[in-house]
Amino acid sequence: MEDILFLFEQYPIWEGFWANLKLAFFSAIFAFTLGVILALFRISPVRSMSWLSGAFINLVRNIPLTVLVVMGVLIFWGQLQINMHPDFDTNFFMLATIALSIYHAPFFAEAIRSGVNTVPLGQAEAARSIGLGFFAAARLIIIPQALRGAITPIGNTLIALIKNTTVAAAASVMEASGIMRTMIEFNPNLMVAIFLIIAIGFSLIVIPVGLLTTWLSERLAVTR
Amino acid sequence: MKTPWMKITALGAAGLLVLSACSPGATEDTAEDDAAGGGGGGGSVTVGIKYDQPGLGFREGNNPPTGFDVDVAKAVLAEMGYQEDQIEWVESPTPQRENMLENGQVDMIFATYSITDERDERVDFAGPYFMAGQDILVRTDENDIKGPEDLNGRNLCSVTGSTPAQNVRDMYADEVELVEQDGYSECLTFLQSGQVDAVTTDDIILAGLAASDEYAGEFKVVGSPFTEEPYGVGLPEGDVETCEQVNEAIQKLQDDGTIDELLAANTEGVDYEANAELNDNIELVTCGE
Amino acid sequence: MSTQYVLFDAPGPRSRRIITILNILVALIVIGVLVWVYQALAAQGQMSPHLWWNAINTNAWVNYLLPGLTFTLQAAAIAVVSSVVFGLFFGFLRLAPVRILRWISMVIVEFFRAVPVLVLMVFLHFFFSQYLSNVIDPRNSAYYAVIVALTLYNGAVIAELVRAGVRSLPAGQREAALAVGMTTTKSLRYVEVPQALVAMLPSLVSQFVIILKDSALGYIIGFSELLRYSRHLGAGYGNIMQALVVAAIIFIIINSLLVQLAQMLSRRLSSRTSGVTEVGIPGIAPIAGDTVEDEATETRAQAIIQQDKRK
């Protein structure tokens, strides 16, 4: 027990998890926004938009996140010389956020699209037949049902995103998995305890999100 | 109905067996290695080197590795009675060196490994076989950076888990923006593109990097080493016997000028001179302390 | 079914004009971005042919890309097989008639699904090299850490797939099995799980995509896979960017092929099972939020079945 207290005193464990949460929060917002745009493009009648969105989704989805983060640092920052902040720590935090956002946007897009797919054809036909235009039909009929149908995949993507914030370690962002590594390196005898602290920490973040997803998806399920 | 998935499982199990028979390390002939003790004879010895530092430790695929560290390792092990084909080379990246020694992944490490008190707590060192000094690499057209004190407000790159960058920040310039990367090659691309103004580490490493064909003429070493970095041979904690053997070999190679020859051979064509004052009379560590 | 028909009327003349204008606009933007990227890179000298050539010539393939790819594929292949074994075992347990078995397997499965794979990998890497060095050659500890971490995580996901797959079967399958005198276990073993497995096959292939991608996490713990090798290539020839782009393209090609395979399987197999062969969202392992046991899932599964009947 004393050992564990020592770990909490000696290492910035809380700050580490806080960094993961911050990364997850900002990336989730950006990735979801980008995902909505991608989904709209994907289902739009404009051929080039849906092609562009499809190409982006298929490219990004097949690249490992680690590669994306490393590329962000080496190419986006290193070669294209895009500086977001003069302070390096902030800069790399932002870089990791961008990589995480880009990586997860396709998954949010597909989640939303799968939600749209759960809406029966008849709903749109009915909307049109009572004289609603595209935007009115989308806003009043399709999207409310689609979002409800997409809760489970969106929740799954969010959970994956939270766990994937650990990969920011590859962009030299100080977060929980990196701190775990340092802790084990200097206290190998406490290895298992250290792992459990970090693992339980993530469980405490992730499992409530999962439960909330289930609860929401059941509560808001569209009865058909 | 049961056939398809039975087949899948059987196929899978077979695949598992086949695949696990060829894991990465198993590709090499792993004779029982008793390298740590006795010296020479029939065993093999696993040596950790850098794979990505041209001029010091560099290896392409399964080609033989090259560089100053590699050559010194070969010479030392030859003195200890090992043939070249008894040496198995393993990559030991900077942040993992202590670990690899602690858990027996390697028997010894020749990888630009400076002897420091902090590291000495976890591993043992023999040597040093060379005295490097921390220096700064800048673009050829850079004239404002003449030493570490000029780095305030500038961007600096170094390698994760190494001390050089922290040194600069602690001792000379506390307003330096520091980015840490996995290897020096990334730092060089940043220096080339202008995202960082300087790369810092030991002079000999910088010289090796600056000399590679890809960057010929683009960078220069500032040339005022501001630390002493004694390159030692990393050994597992408590291995006094091997330590003494290695020291003996190093002493001999220093006395007969072999180490100087190896250095010259590996820095040919580079504007680099080892710090003569320090290198002329290296005092070897006492083993077992 | 194309979603376009759900949302849009066939475009009239005015819409068609707008669509044409948008098409041109998008094309211009795409071209603009590509030109900007090209110029930004060219200004850095990064488009010079020899840098790219050095990333794809024989030397690059023989000494870097192929060895790296071999380790990546090898680790992923082993992890796929072992995670199927793990997943079947715990998936079965989660359906077991004994409550305590269900609970134990639930805790294990949920734990490994909640812990980030990287955290698992980092821990196992240290653990193997510290405590299992006489079983596992310490030189390979990163390799095994990657395989075991991927197995535990993906196995847990597959266990969920098995369970969800069985739950999504029409109730008639189980009822029929019980009616001909099988026990619940036998019904599971001979009737339900086999069908669920066939139904799962496409999802398993897309799981391979996840495993392949996650194997790149091994880079962070020093496993010599494709990403690490391509970094070495970049270190040796001053073309780190080109080397990384090539590695990314290799990943994209292999994963796209796997995704296509999954879709093909999903079409082919739909006649061989009464389960649902649909591929989920490839690339993200589903955490089927339904951690609530028993009744809740029961009703949900029934809801799914009802829905399927209507399709």
Side-chain angles (χ1 to χ4, degrees), chain C residues 267-284:
Chain C
R267 279 194 301 271
R268 286 260 177 96
L269 294 172
S270 53
S271 60
R272 306 227 340 230
T273 166
S274 48
V276 188
T277 56
E278 208 171 286
V279 192
I281 303 169
I284 285 263

Side-chain angles (χ1 to χ4, degrees), chain C residues 5 9 11 15 52 56 66 75 101 224 252 257 304:
Chain C
Y5 294 112
D9 268 323
S15 313
W52 289 96
I56 50 166
L66 287 179
L101 287 180
S224 297
I252 291 172
L257 291 177
I304 294 171

Side-chain angles (χ1 to χ4, degrees), chain B residues 11-23, chain C residues 74 78 143:
Chain B
L11 210 75
L16 190 67
L17 284 176
V18 173
L19 284 166
S20 52
C22 49
S23 49
Chain C
Q74 198 176 304
I78 296 176
Y143 172 74

